[in-house]
Amino acid sequence: MFAKSFKALLALVLIVTCSGLSFAKGKAYVETTVASVDVHGNVNLAIKGGVFLAKGFSASDIVNISVDKYKFSAPIVKNYSDVNNGDFLIRMNGDEISLAINMGNFSEVSGAKIGSKVTISLKEHYGYLTSYQVRVLKKSNDREKFDSDEIFANFRNVTGGSISAEKLYRSYNPIESDERAPFAAKLMEDNGITLVVNLADTNEIASQREESSAYYKKLDSEGKVVCVNMGSAFSGDEFHSKLKSALVFIANHPGEKILIHGKEGKNRTGFVVAMLLALNGASYSDIENDFMKSFENFYGVKKNRQKQQYELLSEAVPFMFVTMNNGKKFKEDNIQSIAQNYLINTVGVPKPQVDALSKMFK
C-alpha cells in the first residue's frame, strides 16, 4: 500500500516538475486581458507565465474562466492534445498563457477580441491530474534519439484503399526553421516529390523560409507549391475555403508525386489525408493507423505499449468524421460517402474535381 502511494506521489511530482509548472497555493484568482488572437483563433493573454504561477495556479488544475460575458471551465495544460478534440483548455507555453479549443477556433466561439476582459479562478486543484498524466507527451528534437530520418521528420508514403504506393506523401514542414526541417526537405527531394500542399504557411512566409531548401524553392518557382495558411479548427467558411483551394490544386495536377504538410504534419495534415483516404475507399482502421503514426513518430506512443494514451489520442479520428458528417454519428463502413458529400456539399469542391481526387492516386 505504501509503495503504491509513494509511486502515485512521485508521478504527481514528476508531472508538475517536467512541465515546468509549480504547485498552486490557496484560492488562485487573476484578472487580465486579451493581448492578441492568432490565425487559429487561440487567444493570448496579457498576463505572463511567471505572474500566472505566482497567483497560485498549476498544471492539471481546473479553472473557471470568463471572457467578457462568455463563461466556461477548462484545465491548465501544456499541449493542445492534452484535452479531447473540441474541448476548452488554458495553455502554458513558457511565459505565454493562452485560451484555446483543441481543433477549434476559440475567438470565434467565445467572441474574444483584443482588449476583452478575462478572469480566471481556481475551480478544482489538480482536478484534471489523472487525465493529464495519461496524455502528457514529451518530444525530443535530437535526431540521434530516433531510428531513422523518416521517423524524425514524420515523413511517410500514404497508402490505403485505391491510393497506390509512391503517389501521396505527408511530412513535417520542410521549410520550418528548426532541426527537423532539413531532414524533411532532403526526404522530399530523395523521393522525387513534384507537388507540395503547404497547409501551414502564407505565401510570404514560405517565400522567406524556402531559401533553406533549393528544391522546395524550385518547385515553388514552377507553380508546384500552394500555401493555404489553414487554421486548426475543422469548420467555418474560412477553413472550408482554404481546404477547397488545396484540394482543387491537387485535383488539377494529375500524375504528380504529392506531399502534404502543415507544421508538424499531425493534425491539419492528418485531417486532409484522412479525408483523401476515406474518399479513396480506405478502411477506418487504415485511416486511424496512419493518423496515429505521427504520434508514434513524435512521442513514441504505440497501441501495444501505451494503450490508454493511444486510445485517448486516437479519439481525434472519429471527431474528424463527425465533423465531416455535420456533427452526426457515423458508421465506419460509410466513411467514403461521408467524405464525398462533405467535399461537395460543405467544402464546395466541384464534383469533377472530387471525382478526380478519388481516381488520381491509383
Side-chain angles (χ1 to χ4, degrees):
M1 183 68 180
F2 173 78
K4 289 183 178 179
S5 298
F6 178 76
K7 287 181 179 179
L9 178 60
L10 181 60
L12 171 62
V13 173
L14 285 173
I15 200 78
V16 176
T17 302
C18 291
S19 64
L21 308 182
S22 66
F23 289 91
K25 298 178 181 180
K27 189 70 172 178
Y29 176 84
V30 70
E31 294 182 0
T32 184
T33 58
V34 172
S36 64
V37 180
D38 71 18
V39 66
H40 306 298
N42 303 320
V43 168
N44 301 312
L45 303 183
I47 191 170
K48 299 300 182 182
V51 177
F52 185 72
L53 291 174
K55 295 291 184 179
F57 296 103
S58 294
S60 80
D61 285 350
I62 296 177
V63 294
N64 292 319
I65 305 168
S66 68
V67 181
D68 291 331
K69 295 181 179 180
Y70 190 85
K71 298 181 179 181
F72 63 101
S73 297
I76 301 173
V77 295
K78 189 174 182 181
N79 302 300
Y80 299 108
S81 58
D82 290 338
V83 302
N84 290 331
N85 285 42
D87 284 358
F88 293 104
L89 63 119
I90 179 165
R91 182 174 184 244
M92 284 203 65
N93 181 28
D95 218 24
E96 185 179 89
I97 308 294
S98 59
L99 306 178
I101 298 174
N102 187 21
M103 299 300 166
N105 188 313
F106 178 81
S107 64
E108 188 176 276
V109 170
S110 67
K113 56 186 182 296
I114 295 174
S116 291
K117 181 180 178 181
V118 178
T119 63
I120 305 170
S121 61
L122 183 65
K123 180 178 181 180
E124 186 177 356
H125 193 32
Y126 300 136
Y128 194 67
L129 181 60
T130 301
S131 295
Y132 188 58
Q133 286 176 315
V134 172
R135 288 176 177 274
V136 68
L137 300 171
K138 296 179 182 179
K139 180 177 72 175
S140 172
N141 292 321
D142 182 357
R143 166 63 185 87
E144 298 303 314
K145 294 183 178 180
F146 295 81
D147 291 338
S148 69
D149 292 349
E150 286 80 2
I151 293 174
F152 186 59
N154 195 26
F155 185 100
R156 61 186 176 277
N157 183 200
V158 177
T159 60
S162 62
I163 298 180
S164 302
E166 300 182 0
K167 299 282 188 179
L168 180 63
Y169 296 78
R170 59 183 293 180
S171 82
Y172 195 84
N173 190 341
I175 56 171
E176 187 69 25
S177 304
D178 63 12
E179 301 88 346
R180 280 180 166 81
F183 293 90
K186 184 177 187 304
L187 287 165
M188 169 184 147
E189 184 173 359
D190 290 348
N191 283 272
I193 297 300
T194 59
L195 195 79
V196 179
V197 177
N198 182 336
L199 302 175
D201 298 323
T202 62
N203 288 321
E204 292 75 18
I205 291 175
S207 64
Q208 295 169 12
R209 290 179 172 176
E210 65 188 16
E211 294 298 326
S212 64
S213 171
Y215 189 77
Y216 199 107
K217 185 176 181 178
K218 177 177 178 292
L219 289 180
D220 194 10
S221 69
E222 296 171 350
K224 295 296 185 71
V225 177
V226 65
C227 300
V228 296
N229 188 30
M230 181 186 289
S232 57
F234 303 149
S235 61
D237 292 342
E238 183 177 0
F239 177 83
H240 295 147
S241 175
K242 292 180 176 181
L243 177 59
K244 178 182 177 180
S245 296
L247 295 175
V248 169
F249 180 77
I250 294 173
N252 290 340
H253 288 83
E256 307 281 1
K257 294 182 76 170
I258 301 168
L259 174 69
I260 299 175
H261 73 81
K263 180 180 178 180
E264 296 186 335
K266 294 200 320 287
N267 297 314
R268 287 169 291 190
T269 304
F271 182 88
V272 175
V273 169
M275 183 273 304
L276 287 173
L277 282 166
L279 185 66
N280 283 271
S283 68
Y284 181 85
S285 61
D286 284 346
I287 293 170
E288 181 183 283
N289 289 339
D290 178 74
F291 182 85
M292 289 303 297
K293 185 66 177 175
S294 293
F295 289 89
E296 179 180 339
N297 288 347
F298 276 108
Y299 310 109
V301 177
K302 296 183 178 181
K303 191 172 186 177
N304 60 347
R305 292 184 182 178
Q306 296 92 4
K307 186 176 180 180
Q308 189 177 10
Q309 193 173 38
Y310 185 99
E311 289 178 350
L312 284 169
L313 292 168
S314 66
E315 288 176 3
V317 181
F319 176 86
M320 291 189 295
F321 284 105
V322 167
T323 299
M324 291 183 210
N325 202 31
N326 294 317
K328 302 174 185 176
K329 293 181 180 180
F330 66 97
K331 294 182 179 180
E332 292 181 6
D333 59 1
N334 196 38
I335 56 177
Q336 186 172 26
S337 63
I338 287 173
Q340 184 179 52
N341 291 334
Y342 170 73
L343 290 180
I344 295 172
N345 299 321
T346 303
V347 181
V349 179
K351 191 175 185 303
Q353 275 75 31
V354 173
D355 291 341
L357 290 169
S358 67
K359 298 173 182 176
M360 64 187 296
F361 300 107
K362 295 180 179 179

